[in-house]
Amino acid sequence: MLAIFKSISIFILAGLCEIGGGYLVWLTLREEKPWWVGVIGGIILIGYGVVATWQPANFGRVYAAYGGIFIVMAIFWGWKVDGIVPDRYDLIGGAVALIGMLIIMYAPRNS
């Protein structure tokens, strides 16, 4: 159970790096924020690439599973940062993605 908690914590940290870094680049290119905001975003995005390597599973499984975490975190980010309240389809889609992530990453396997 501790291994799953650690893994999910790594996924959340990776999600914060990807969404936060991407958001800073977005603000620079779309909202005319200063160039250095985008540079900081790029550095944070590099951090995302590093954090993802901390997962114990293989690359394909980690990135497939991460998609579920990213979807849920992006919906939450849109709600809390941009003020876009998720509708029932956002919530249903996020739940489906999260269930898929849990199956991909943590289902018992023989190998």
Side-chain angles (χ1 to χ4, degrees):
M1 192 57 141
L2 183 59
I4 292 174
F5 177 76
K6 180 179 176 187
S7 176
I8 290 173
S9 297
I10 293 169
F11 277 128
I12 291 170
L13 179 58
L16 288 172
C17 288
E18 185 177 10
I19 295 169
Y23 189 71
L24 294 177
V25 171
W26 176 280
L27 289 176
T28 299
L29 298 177
R30 300 277 303 258
E31 307 287 331
E32 300 181 12
K33 297 296 181 190
W35 64 269
W36 55 266
V37 172
V39 170
I40 292 170
I43 292 167
I44 294 171
L45 284 167
I46 291 169
Y48 153 73
V50 172
V51 169
T53 68
W54 299 344
Q55 290 289 354
N58 67 65
F59 177 85
R61 187 169 292 145
V62 166
Y63 273 74
Y66 171 69
I69 293 286
F70 178 81
I71 290 167
V72 171
M73 289 184 69
I75 292 168
F76 189 77
W77 184 282
W79 179 26
K80 293 302 178 182
V81 174
D82 289 331
I84 307 299
V85 177
D87 63 21
R88 68 177 166 197
Y89 299 110
D90 294 325
L91 298 175
I92 292 167
V96 168
L98 196 58
I99 290 167
M101 173 269 173
L102 292 170
I103 293 168
I104 290 168
M105 197 68 190
Y106 306 117
R109 293 184 163 82
N110 294 329
S111 56

XYZ file of all heavy atoms in Angstrom:
860
model
N 0.822 -1.198 0.000
C 0.000 0.000 0.000
C 0.865 1.260 0.000
O 0.522 2.227 -0.649
C -0.942 -0.034 1.203
C -2.002 1.003 1.126
S -2.955 0.834 -0.383
C -4.543 1.173 0.180
N 1.974 1.222 0.735
C 2.883 2.369 0.762
C 3.465 2.632 -0.623
O 3.608 3.788 -1.029
C 4.005 2.145 1.781
C 4.976 3.299 1.967
C 4.232 4.554 2.419
C 6.049 2.939 2.972
N 3.746 1.570 -1.366
C 4.285 1.728 -2.717
C 3.270 2.420 -3.628
O 3.636 3.265 -4.454
C 4.686 0.377 -3.291
N 1.992 2.087 -3.481
C 0.952 2.731 -4.290
C 0.817 4.200 -3.905
O 0.714 5.067 -4.772
C -0.390 1.983 -4.154
C -0.285 0.601 -4.811
C -1.531 2.789 -4.763
C -1.499 -0.283 -4.604
N 0.841 4.499 -2.615
C 0.773 5.894 -2.163
C 1.952 6.696 -2.719
O 1.772 7.823 -3.201
C 0.755 5.954 -0.636
C 0.754 7.361 -0.101
C -0.404 8.128 -0.134
C 1.911 7.928 0.409
C -0.413 9.434 0.335
C 1.910 9.230 0.877
C 0.751 9.991 0.845
N 3.154 6.129 -2.671
C 4.336 6.808 -3.206
C 4.185 7.034 -4.707
O 4.462 8.119 -5.212
C 5.588 5.989 -2.913
C 6.850 6.624 -3.430
C 8.082 5.798 -3.115
C 9.308 6.436 -3.741
N 10.492 5.591 -3.618
N 3.717 6.015 -5.418
C 3.533 6.120 -6.858
C 2.513 7.202 -7.221
O 2.740 8.022 -8.113
C 3.097 4.764 -7.414
O 2.829 4.838 -8.782
N 1.388 7.227 -6.518
C 0.360 8.241 -6.790
C 0.901 9.629 -6.460
O 0.638 10.596 -7.188
C -0.938 7.915 -6.033
C -1.589 6.679 -6.665
C -1.902 9.100 -6.049
C -2.788 6.138 -5.928
N 1.686 9.742 -5.398
C 2.303 11.036 -5.061
C 3.229 11.505 -6.177
O 3.243 12.698 -6.520
C 3.090 10.923 -3.750
O 2.229 10.618 -2.683
N 3.974 10.590 -6.767
C 4.854 10.940 -7.890
C 4.020 11.380 -9.086
O 4.348 12.366 -9.761
C 5.792 9.766 -8.242
C 6.787 9.527 -7.111
C 6.527 10.033 -9.555
C 7.573 8.233 -7.231
N 2.920 10.667 -9.367
C 2.037 11.078 -10.456
C 1.502 12.490 -10.225
O 1.441 13.301 -11.154
C 0.849 10.111 -10.605
C 1.137 8.882 -11.411
C 0.852 7.631 -10.894
C 1.668 8.963 -12.690
C 1.089 6.484 -11.634
C 1.913 7.820 -13.436
C 1.625 6.579 -12.907
N 1.113 12.797 -9.006
C 0.569 14.131 -8.704
C 1.646 15.199 -8.869
O 1.393 16.260 -9.457
C -0.066 14.152 -7.302
C -1.340 13.298 -7.310
C -0.360 15.578 -6.843
C -1.935 13.029 -5.942
N 2.849 14.925 -8.385
C 3.943 15.877 -8.567
C 4.243 16.092 -10.048
O 4.410 17.234 -10.499
C 5.201 15.408 -7.827
C 6.427 16.312 -7.949
C 6.136 17.725 -7.439
C 7.604 15.696 -7.211
N 4.268 15.007 -10.809
C 4.490 15.124 -12.254
C 3.379 15.953 -12.905
O 3.641 16.807 -13.761
C 4.569 13.735 -12.891
N 2.148 15.721 -12.468
C 1.024 16.482 -13.012
C 1.120 17.965 -12.703
O 0.850 18.810 -13.558
N 1.522 18.287 -11.494
C 1.698 19.704 -11.142
C 2.778 20.352 -11.989
O 2.635 21.493 -12.430
C 2.030 19.838 -9.656
C 0.877 19.552 -8.692
C 1.386 19.532 -7.252
C -0.232 20.577 -8.861
N 3.855 19.599 -12.236
C 4.929 20.137 -13.077
C 4.443 20.348 -14.514
O 4.686 21.400 -15.110
C 6.138 19.203 -13.085
S 7.079 19.176 -11.557
N 3.752 19.352 -15.068
C 3.316 19.480 -16.462
C 2.243 20.549 -16.621
O 2.325 21.400 -17.506
C 2.817 18.157 -17.013
C 2.490 18.293 -18.492
C 2.052 17.017 -19.168
O 1.798 16.015 -18.470
O 1.948 17.039 -20.397
N 1.235 20.509 -15.782
C 0.149 21.478 -15.916
C 0.631 22.879 -15.548
O 0.352 23.846 -16.251
C -1.068 21.058 -15.072
C -1.639 19.744 -15.615
C -2.135 22.144 -15.066
C -2.662 19.090 -14.712
N 1.376 22.985 -14.445
C 1.879 24.300 -14.034
C 2.844 24.893 -15.038
O 2.747 26.070 -15.398
N 3.787 24.076 -15.516
C 4.735 24.566 -16.521
C 4.045 24.941 -17.818
O 4.307 25.990 -18.404
N 3.148 24.066 -18.257
C 2.391 24.357 -19.482
C 1.540 25.608 -19.343
O 1.400 26.399 -20.278
N 0.979 25.808 -18.158
C 0.151 26.990 -17.912
C 0.979 28.270 -18.008
O 0.523 29.272 -18.573
C -0.508 26.876 -16.534
C -1.540 27.938 -16.259
C -2.763 27.928 -16.929
C -1.319 28.933 -15.316
C -3.727 28.883 -16.669
C -2.276 29.894 -15.050
C -3.481 29.871 -15.724
O -4.427 30.828 -15.460
N 2.212 28.236 -17.489
C 3.065 29.424 -17.582
C 3.449 29.727 -19.032
O 3.469 30.894 -19.441
C 4.313 29.250 -16.715
C 4.058 29.187 -15.207
C 5.365 28.940 -14.457
C 3.365 30.441 -14.705
N 3.711 28.692 -19.813
C 3.985 28.905 -21.245
C 2.728 29.457 -21.916
O 2.791 30.400 -22.716
C 4.463 27.600 -21.913
C 4.540 27.755 -23.422
C 5.813 27.162 -21.338
N 1.582 28.896 -21.588
C 0.295 29.364 -22.127
C 0.102 30.858 -21.825
O -0.274 31.634 -22.700
C -0.817 28.543 -21.501
C -2.219 28.964 -21.881
C -2.930 30.004 -21.369
C -3.058 28.342 -22.843
N -4.175 30.075 -21.936
C -4.279 29.062 -22.848
C -2.920 27.260 -23.683
C -5.346 28.707 -23.681
C -3.984 26.920 -24.500
C -5.169 27.634 -24.495
N 0.347 31.227 -20.566
C 0.173 32.631 -20.183
C 1.092 33.546 -20.996
O 0.689 34.644 -21.392
C 0.451 32.819 -18.690
C -0.572 32.237 -17.726
C -0.104 32.414 -16.283
C -1.944 32.861 -17.926
N 2.312 33.094 -21.248
C 3.255 33.907 -22.011
C 2.810 34.067 -23.459
O 2.825 35.177 -23.998
C 4.663 33.279 -21.958
O 5.089 33.248 -20.598
C 5.658 34.087 -22.774
N 2.397 32.979 -24.074
C 2.052 33.022 -25.498
C 0.637 33.498 -25.774
O 0.385 34.108 -26.817
C 2.261 31.638 -26.121
C 3.699 31.115 -26.076
C 3.770 29.708 -26.645
C 4.650 32.052 -26.812
N -0.288 33.257 -24.850
C -1.681 33.599 -25.103
C -2.174 34.812 -24.331
O -3.117 35.472 -24.754
C -2.583 32.408 -24.764
C -2.329 31.139 -25.550
C -3.001 31.122 -26.908
N -4.423 31.311 -26.871
C -5.333 30.360 -26.986
N -4.978 29.116 -27.130
N -6.607 30.652 -26.953
N -1.557 35.079 -23.180
C -2.030 36.159 -22.318
C -1.013 37.298 -22.210
O -1.146 38.159 -21.348
C -2.343 35.608 -20.916
C -3.289 34.415 -20.900
C -4.724 34.784 -21.219
O -5.126 35.929 -20.931
O -5.438 33.916 -21.766
N 0.015 37.235 -23.041
C 1.042 38.290 -23.130
C 1.756 38.565 -21.807
O 2.101 39.711 -21.502
C 0.431 39.562 -23.707
C -0.139 39.343 -25.100
C -0.741 40.594 -25.706
O -0.543 41.705 -25.165
O -1.413 40.464 -26.733
N 2.003 37.513 -21.045
C 2.827 37.653 -19.838
C 4.283 37.774 -20.274
O 4.637 37.438 -21.395
C 2.638 36.459 -18.902
C 1.220 36.316 -18.378
C 0.820 37.489 -17.518
C -0.588 37.309 -16.989
N -1.126 38.484 -16.353
N 5.176 38.234 -19.392
C 6.579 38.418 -19.763
C 7.237 37.107 -20.213
O 6.860 36.014 -19.773
C 7.238 38.925 -18.478
C 6.126 39.424 -17.618
C 4.903 38.657 -18.008
N 8.253 37.226 -21.075
C 8.951 36.060 -21.635
C 9.519 35.149 -20.553
O 9.533 33.939 -20.690
C 10.063 36.500 -22.592
C 11.155 37.289 -21.911
C 11.218 38.644 -21.766
C 12.303 36.766 -21.253
N 12.336 39.002 -21.059
C 13.032 37.863 -20.737
C 12.808 35.480 -21.037
C 14.215 37.702 -20.016
C 13.984 35.336 -20.336
C 14.675 36.443 -19.836
N 9.964 35.752 -19.450
C 10.597 34.946 -18.409
C 9.605 34.020 -17.712
O 9.991 32.998 -17.166
C 11.355 35.815 -17.397
C 10.535 36.897 -16.762
C 10.424 38.197 -17.168
C 9.708 36.768 -15.600
N 9.568 38.890 -16.339
C 9.122 38.037 -15.359
C 9.412 35.727 -14.733
C 8.246 38.268 -14.304
C 8.541 35.958 -13.679
C 7.974 37.231 -13.479
N 8.315 34.360 -17.756
C 7.295 33.466 -17.212
C 7.270 32.170 -18.030
O 7.222 31.063 -17.484
C 5.906 34.154 -17.200
C 4.802 33.172 -16.816
C 5.909 35.348 -16.259
N 7.353 32.314 -19.348
C 7.404 31.145 -20.224
C 8.665 30.324 -20.026
O 8.625 29.085 -20.083
N 9.783 30.983 -19.776
C 11.041 30.273 -19.530
C 10.927 29.450 -18.244
O 11.332 28.280 -18.194
C 12.236 31.252 -19.472
C 13.486 30.554 -18.968
C 12.475 31.879 -20.837
N 10.369 30.051 -17.211
C 10.157 29.302 -15.962
C 9.247 28.099 -16.227
O 9.500 26.991 -15.738
C 9.590 30.212 -14.851
C 10.640 31.239 -14.434
C 9.112 29.385 -13.659
C 10.113 32.327 -13.522
N 8.219 28.320 -17.029
C 7.330 27.209 -17.392
C 8.081 26.098 -18.105
O 7.866 24.913 -17.831
N 8.978 26.463 -19.013
C 9.774 25.460 -19.718
C 10.669 24.671 -18.776
O 10.805 23.443 -18.909
N 11.255 25.348 -17.824
C 12.104 24.662 -16.839
C 11.261 23.696 -15.994
O 11.678 22.560 -15.725
C 12.839 25.699 -15.959
C 13.860 26.455 -16.807
C 13.502 25.023 -14.757
C 14.421 27.709 -16.148
N 10.084 24.137 -15.601
C 9.191 23.269 -14.823
C 8.774 22.058 -15.656
O 8.695 20.929 -15.146
C 7.975 24.059 -14.302
C 8.439 25.102 -13.278
C 6.929 23.122 -13.694
C 7.365 26.092 -12.864
N 8.545 22.264 -16.960
C 8.201 21.145 -17.834
C 9.339 20.128 -17.927
O 9.094 18.920 -17.991
C 7.823 21.646 -19.226
C 6.431 22.271 -19.326
C 6.272 23.020 -20.648
C 5.362 21.207 -19.177
N 10.569 20.591 -17.912
C 11.712 19.668 -17.865
C 11.648 18.862 -16.565
O 11.901 17.650 -16.557
C 13.049 20.428 -17.993
C 13.184 20.998 -19.400
C 14.230 19.526 -17.653
C 14.332 21.990 -19.567
N 11.288 19.527 -15.473
C 11.125 18.833 -14.195
C 10.100 17.721 -14.283
O 10.283 16.642 -13.703
N 9.033 17.947 -15.037
C 8.031 16.896 -15.239
C 8.670 15.651 -15.851
O 8.408 14.531 -15.412
C 6.894 17.412 -16.128
C 6.197 16.323 -16.893
C 5.338 15.440 -16.247
C 6.410 16.154 -18.256
C 4.709 14.427 -16.941
C 5.789 15.143 -18.951
C 4.945 14.285 -18.288
O 4.331 13.272 -18.973
N 9.504 15.848 -16.858
C 10.162 14.715 -17.494
C 11.038 13.935 -16.538
O 11.136 12.710 -16.620
N 11.654 14.628 -15.606
C 12.513 13.968 -14.613
C 11.658 13.239 -13.582
O 11.911 12.073 -13.263
C 13.445 15.000 -13.940
C 14.197 14.372 -12.782
C 14.406 15.601 -14.965
N 10.645 13.899 -13.067
C 9.808 13.315 -12.019
C 9.160 12.011 -12.508
O 9.097 11.033 -11.759
C 8.736 14.321 -11.541
C 7.705 13.655 -10.648
C 9.392 15.488 -10.820
N 8.721 11.975 -13.747
C 8.071 10.774 -14.273
C 8.994 9.556 -14.234
O 8.526 8.424 -14.100
C 7.573 11.024 -15.692
N 10.298 9.770 -14.315
C 11.244 8.637 -14.286
C 11.337 7.999 -12.914
O 11.918 6.915 -12.780
C 12.658 9.068 -14.729
O 13.226 9.948 -13.750
C 12.639 9.721 -16.092
N 10.795 8.615 -11.896
C 10.843 8.070 -10.542
C 9.859 6.915 -10.340
O 9.914 6.240 -9.312
C 10.590 9.153 -9.517
C 11.600 10.272 -9.530
C 12.830 10.270 -10.126
C 11.455 11.547 -8.922
N 13.455 11.470 -9.932
C 12.632 12.288 -9.191
C 10.448 12.153 -8.186
C 12.833 13.578 -8.741
C 10.636 13.448 -7.743
C 11.818 14.151 -8.012
N 8.950 6.717 -11.291
C 7.999 5.611 -11.185
C 8.722 4.280 -11.393
O 9.631 4.191 -12.216
C 6.887 5.745 -12.233
C 5.931 6.873 -11.979
C 5.005 6.629 -10.801
O 4.974 5.562 -10.192
N 4.221 7.643 -10.463
N 8.308 3.237 -10.681
C 8.991 1.949 -10.808
C 8.616 1.150 -12.057
O 9.348 0.252 -12.446
C 8.544 1.198 -9.545
C 7.215 1.790 -9.202
C 7.308 3.238 -9.620
N 7.507 1.462 -12.694
C 7.045 0.686 -13.853
C 7.767 1.131 -15.125
O 8.533 2.101 -15.133
C 5.535 0.851 -14.011
N 7.480 0.428 -16.224
C 8.106 0.768 -17.507
C 7.507 2.034 -18.109
O 6.421 2.465 -17.727
C 8.001 -0.415 -18.482
C 6.572 -0.686 -18.896
O 5.932 0.130 -19.550
N 6.043 -1.843 -18.504
N 8.232 2.600 -19.059
C 7.860 3.879 -19.675
C 6.430 3.874 -20.213
O 5.644 4.776 -19.924
C 8.851 4.211 -20.800
C 8.531 5.476 -21.543
C 8.958 6.693 -21.058
C 7.801 5.442 -22.722
C 8.654 7.870 -21.740
C 7.499 6.613 -23.400
C 7.928 7.823 -22.911
N 6.081 2.881 -21.023
C 4.763 2.858 -21.646
C 3.640 2.813 -20.636
O 2.639 3.530 -20.752
N 3.795 1.987 -19.629
C 2.759 1.861 -18.600
C 2.638 3.155 -17.794
O 1.542 3.624 -17.500
C 3.072 0.686 -17.678
C 1.960 0.401 -16.701
C 2.141 -0.912 -15.980
N 1.972 -2.005 -16.930
C 2.641 -3.139 -16.885
N 3.529 -3.355 -15.933
N 2.426 -4.082 -17.774
N 3.781 3.723 -17.422
C 3.766 4.968 -16.645
C 3.076 6.078 -17.425
O 2.205 6.779 -16.905
C 5.199 5.377 -16.232
C 5.239 6.815 -15.722
C 5.735 4.426 -15.176
N 3.437 6.249 -18.702
C 2.848 7.337 -19.470
C 1.383 7.102 -19.787
O 0.589 8.042 -19.828
C 3.676 7.615 -20.721
C 4.792 8.579 -20.401
C 5.911 8.173 -19.675
C 4.702 9.907 -20.761
C 6.915 9.057 -19.343
C 5.711 10.803 -20.432
C 6.806 10.371 -19.731
O 7.785 11.265 -19.390
N 0.989 5.845 -20.001
C -0.426 5.545 -20.224
C -1.232 5.833 -18.962
O -2.287 6.472 -19.013
C -0.596 4.084 -20.641
N -0.723 5.385 -17.829
C -1.429 5.603 -16.562
C -1.442 7.077 -16.191
O -2.443 7.589 -15.672
C -0.780 4.775 -15.454
N -0.348 7.764 -16.460
C -0.273 9.181 -16.128
C -1.385 9.970 -16.814
O -1.890 10.957 -16.266
C 1.103 9.749 -16.507
C 1.149 11.244 -16.389
C 1.098 11.855 -15.136
C 1.173 12.056 -17.515
C 1.081 13.223 -15.019
C 1.173 13.424 -17.408
C 1.121 14.004 -16.156
O 1.094 15.363 -16.051
N -1.793 9.526 -17.984
C -2.865 10.216 -18.699
C -4.115 10.380 -17.851
O -4.767 11.427 -17.873
N -4.472 9.351 -17.081
C -5.653 9.435 -16.214
C -5.493 10.482 -15.128
O -6.394 11.272 -14.859
N -4.330 10.497 -14.508
C -4.044 11.499 -13.471
C -4.063 12.896 -14.084
O -4.642 13.829 -13.523
C -2.670 11.234 -12.819
C -2.695 9.935 -12.020
C -2.218 12.404 -11.956
C -3.444 9.996 -10.715
N -3.435 13.044 -15.255
C -3.378 14.347 -15.914
C -4.785 14.872 -16.215
O -5.071 16.045 -15.991
C -2.560 14.253 -17.207
C -2.509 15.545 -17.958
C -1.617 16.534 -17.588
C -3.360 15.788 -19.010
C -1.571 17.739 -18.261
C -3.324 16.988 -19.697
C -2.423 17.971 -19.317
N -5.654 14.006 -16.723
C -7.018 14.435 -17.050
C -7.729 14.970 -15.815
O -8.311 16.059 -15.834
C -7.814 13.276 -17.689
C -7.269 12.987 -19.098
C -9.310 13.580 -17.724
C -7.762 11.681 -19.689
N -7.674 14.225 -14.723
C -8.351 14.649 -13.494
C -7.737 15.944 -12.958
O -8.457 16.869 -12.564
C -8.314 13.521 -12.438
C -8.798 14.009 -11.092
C -9.145 12.338 -12.920
N -6.407 16.021 -12.977
C -5.746 17.233 -12.477
C -6.040 18.445 -13.360
O -6.205 19.556 -12.857
C -4.248 17.004 -12.343
C -3.902 16.073 -11.195
S -2.135 15.884 -10.943
C -1.706 17.519 -10.329
N -6.126 18.234 -14.667
C -6.431 19.343 -15.575
C -7.852 19.868 -15.344
O -8.093 21.080 -15.368
C -6.246 18.911 -17.030
N -8.785 18.962 -15.113
C -10.153 19.383 -14.793
C -10.157 20.187 -13.498
O -10.774 21.258 -13.411
C -11.097 18.163 -14.693
C -11.284 17.523 -16.073
C -12.445 18.555 -14.090
C -11.954 16.158 -16.034
N -9.448 19.689 -12.483
C -9.370 20.389 -11.199
C -8.677 21.745 -11.359
O -9.120 22.745 -10.794
C -8.634 19.511 -10.176
C -8.700 20.047 -8.780
C -9.852 19.907 -8.022
C -7.620 20.705 -8.218
C -9.929 20.411 -6.732
C -7.681 21.211 -6.930
C -8.838 21.062 -6.190
N -7.593 21.805 -12.145
C -6.870 23.059 -12.397
C -7.813 24.077 -13.058
O -7.869 25.237 -12.656
C -5.665 22.806 -13.288
C -4.807 24.007 -13.519
C -5.049 25.047 -14.383
C -3.573 24.328 -12.873
N -4.043 25.975 -14.325
C -3.124 25.550 -13.399
C -2.806 23.673 -11.913
C -1.942 26.144 -12.998
C -1.613 24.271 -11.513
C -1.201 25.495 -12.053
N -8.535 23.630 -14.074
C -9.472 24.527 -14.752
C -10.511 25.090 -13.807
O -10.908 26.255 -13.905
N -10.938 24.266 -12.852
C -11.938 24.701 -11.881
C -11.349 25.686 -10.885
O -11.894 26.774 -10.668
C -12.479 23.463 -11.178
C -13.521 23.700 -10.121
C -14.385 24.753 -10.027
C -13.812 22.840 -9.028
N -15.203 24.593 -8.922
C -14.872 23.421 -8.296
C -13.302 21.632 -8.597
C -15.412 22.838 -7.163
C -13.849 21.045 -7.470
C -14.892 21.653 -6.766
N -10.213 25.338 -10.279
C -9.662 26.152 -9.202
C -8.855 27.349 -9.685
O -8.832 28.388 -9.023
C -8.805 25.283 -8.269
C -9.619 24.273 -7.500
C -10.679 24.970 -6.673
C -11.555 24.027 -5.913
N -12.597 24.720 -5.163
N -8.199 27.248 -10.833
C -7.346 28.341 -11.314
C -8.099 29.228 -12.301
O -8.038 30.453 -12.216
C -6.042 27.794 -11.935
C -5.212 28.905 -12.560
C -5.218 27.051 -10.877
N -8.814 28.597 -13.242
C -9.511 29.375 -14.273
C -10.984 29.616 -13.970
O -11.659 30.335 -14.689
C -9.376 28.697 -15.637
C -7.980 28.790 -16.206
O -7.273 29.770 -15.883
O -7.586 27.896 -16.965
N -11.497 28.996 -12.918
C -12.885 29.219 -12.530
C -13.904 28.524 -13.415
O -15.078 28.899 -13.411
N -13.487 27.498 -14.167
C -14.406 26.756 -15.025
C -14.908 25.546 -14.236
O -14.184 24.583 -14.015
C -13.711 26.285 -16.324
C -13.030 27.455 -17.037
C -14.688 25.545 -17.220
C -13.953 28.556 -17.462
N -16.151 25.604 -13.807
C -16.719 24.532 -13.001
C -16.948 23.313 -13.898
O -17.567 23.422 -14.951
C -18.051 24.978 -12.358
C -18.688 23.850 -11.566
C -17.827 26.201 -11.477
N -16.425 22.151 -13.483
C -16.628 20.961 -14.311
C -18.098 20.556 -14.343
O -18.791 20.645 -13.335
C -15.775 19.890 -13.626
C -15.396 20.424 -12.302
C -15.635 21.895 -12.290
N -18.551 20.131 -15.536
C -19.925 19.630 -15.627
C -19.921 18.113 -15.422
O -18.875 17.506 -15.191
C -20.577 20.037 -16.952
C -19.905 19.454 -18.183
O -19.178 18.434 -18.069
O -20.111 20.003 -19.278
N -21.080 17.519 -15.497
C -21.162 16.084 -15.204
C -20.361 15.254 -16.192
O -19.832 14.199 -15.822
C -22.602 15.621 -15.138
C -23.315 15.658 -16.456
C -24.717 15.118 -16.312
N -25.477 15.486 -17.504
C -26.764 15.474 -17.579
N -27.471 15.122 -16.531
N -27.364 15.813 -18.685
N -20.237 15.715 -17.438
C -19.464 14.956 -18.424
C -17.966 15.045 -18.138
O -17.227 14.085 -18.356
C -19.790 15.425 -19.844
C -21.254 15.213 -20.159
C -22.116 16.293 -20.277
C -21.769 13.927 -20.282
C -23.469 16.098 -20.539
C -23.120 13.725 -20.550
C -23.965 14.810 -20.673
O -25.293 14.608 -20.925
N -17.511 16.197 -17.646
C -16.119 16.301 -17.199
C -15.859 15.309 -16.068
O -14.837 14.612 -16.046
C -15.804 17.715 -16.692
C -15.870 18.775 -17.770
O -15.507 18.479 -18.923
O -16.277 19.908 -17.445
N -16.787 15.260 -15.120
C -16.620 14.383 -13.958
C -16.690 12.907 -14.343
O -15.886 12.095 -13.876
C -17.667 14.713 -12.893
C -17.587 16.138 -12.319
C -18.743 16.393 -11.366
C -16.248 16.381 -11.650
N -17.624 12.561 -15.222
C -17.732 11.172 -15.677
C -16.473 10.775 -16.453
O -15.888 9.707 -16.217
C -18.998 10.961 -16.533
C -20.254 11.107 -15.660
C -18.966 9.605 -17.239
C -21.553 11.222 -16.447
N -16.054 11.634 -17.376
C -14.853 11.340 -18.157
C -13.619 11.232 -17.283
O -12.785 10.342 -17.473
N -13.492 12.115 -16.297
C -12.373 12.048 -15.372
C -12.381 10.765 -14.560
O -11.338 10.147 -14.350
N -13.572 10.347 -14.124
C -13.676 9.109 -13.349
C -13.289 7.900 -14.201
O -12.559 7.013 -13.741
C -15.094 8.943 -12.795
N -13.749 7.867 -15.447
C -13.388 6.766 -16.349
C -11.873 6.733 -16.556
O -11.249 5.667 -16.498
C -14.139 6.893 -17.693
C -13.582 5.939 -18.744
C -15.634 6.662 -17.496
N -11.280 7.895 -16.793
C -9.829 7.960 -16.995
C -9.081 7.503 -15.750
O -8.072 6.790 -15.841
C -9.420 9.381 -17.375
N -9.561 7.906 -14.586
C -8.901 7.526 -13.332
C -9.016 6.019 -13.078
O -8.043 5.379 -12.657
C -9.497 8.321 -12.175
C -8.701 8.333 -10.888
C -7.293 8.873 -11.105
C -9.413 9.183 -9.850
N -10.165 5.451 -13.363
C -10.323 3.996 -13.223
C -9.365 3.277 -14.178
O -8.689 2.314 -13.789
C -11.793 3.578 -13.462
C -12.668 4.067 -12.308
C -11.909 2.064 -13.636
C -14.157 3.991 -12.573
N -9.276 3.764 -15.404
C -8.333 3.180 -16.364
C -6.908 3.273 -15.875
O -6.127 2.313 -15.986
N -6.544 4.398 -15.296
C -5.195 4.586 -14.761
C -4.903 3.576 -13.665
O -3.832 2.969 -13.628
C -5.072 6.016 -14.231
C -3.803 6.320 -13.490
S -4.008 5.996 -11.743
C -2.330 6.252 -11.220
N -5.856 3.388 -12.765
C -5.663 2.441 -11.655
C -5.491 1.016 -12.173
O -4.650 0.258 -11.676
C -6.838 2.537 -10.680
C -6.937 3.847 -9.898
C -8.266 3.926 -9.153
C -5.767 4.017 -8.951
N -6.255 0.641 -13.189
C -6.128 -0.691 -13.771
C -4.766 -0.857 -14.438
O -4.069 -1.853 -14.208
C -7.270 -0.949 -14.782
C -8.610 -1.031 -14.053
C -6.994 -2.224 -15.598
C -9.818 -0.994 -14.968
N -4.387 0.110 -15.256
C -3.106 0.025 -15.970
C -1.938 -0.079 -15.005
O -1.035 -0.894 -15.184
C -2.927 1.247 -16.896
C -3.902 1.184 -18.064
C -1.482 1.337 -17.407
C -3.996 2.475 -18.859
N -1.950 0.716 -13.981
C -0.767 0.832 -13.117
C -0.735 -0.190 -12.001
O 0.330 -0.684 -11.662
C -0.720 2.251 -12.550
C 0.594 2.644 -11.982
S 1.843 2.790 -13.245
C 3.275 2.959 -12.197
N -1.880 -0.521 -11.421
C -1.858 -1.278 -10.181
C -2.563 -2.635 -10.220
O -2.657 -3.296 -9.189
C -2.437 -0.425 -9.052
C -1.746 0.901 -8.940
C -2.422 2.095 -9.145
C -0.388 0.977 -8.669
C -1.777 3.319 -9.066
C 0.267 2.190 -8.590
C -0.433 3.348 -8.789
O 0.200 4.566 -8.721
N -3.051 -3.063 -11.365
C -3.675 -4.394 -11.448
C -2.625 -5.462 -11.156
O -1.470 -5.343 -11.583
C -4.285 -4.600 -12.823
N -3.009 -6.504 -10.427
C -2.033 -7.569 -10.157
C -1.640 -8.271 -11.461
O -2.478 -8.524 -12.308
C -2.801 -8.532 -9.239
C -4.189 -8.053 -9.143
C -4.306 -6.742 -9.835
N -0.364 -8.519 -11.597
C 0.167 -9.162 -12.803
C 1.032 -10.342 -12.402
O 1.635 -10.343 -11.344
C 0.979 -8.163 -13.619
C 0.122 -7.061 -14.207
C 0.962 -6.154 -15.100
N 0.140 -5.359 -15.977
C -0.453 -4.228 -15.629
N -0.337 -3.758 -14.418
N -1.173 -3.563 -16.514
N 1.131 -11.282 -13.309
C 1.987 -12.449 -13.070
C 3.441 -12.159 -13.386
O 4.318 -12.852 -12.909
C 1.503 -13.643 -13.890
C 0.142 -14.110 -13.410
O -0.165 -13.977 -12.228
N -0.670 -14.631 -14.301
N 3.682 -11.176 -14.237
C 5.085 -10.903 -14.604
C 5.532 -9.544 -14.169
O 4.825 -8.673 -13.867
C 5.248 -11.010 -16.109
O 4.359 -10.149 -16.780
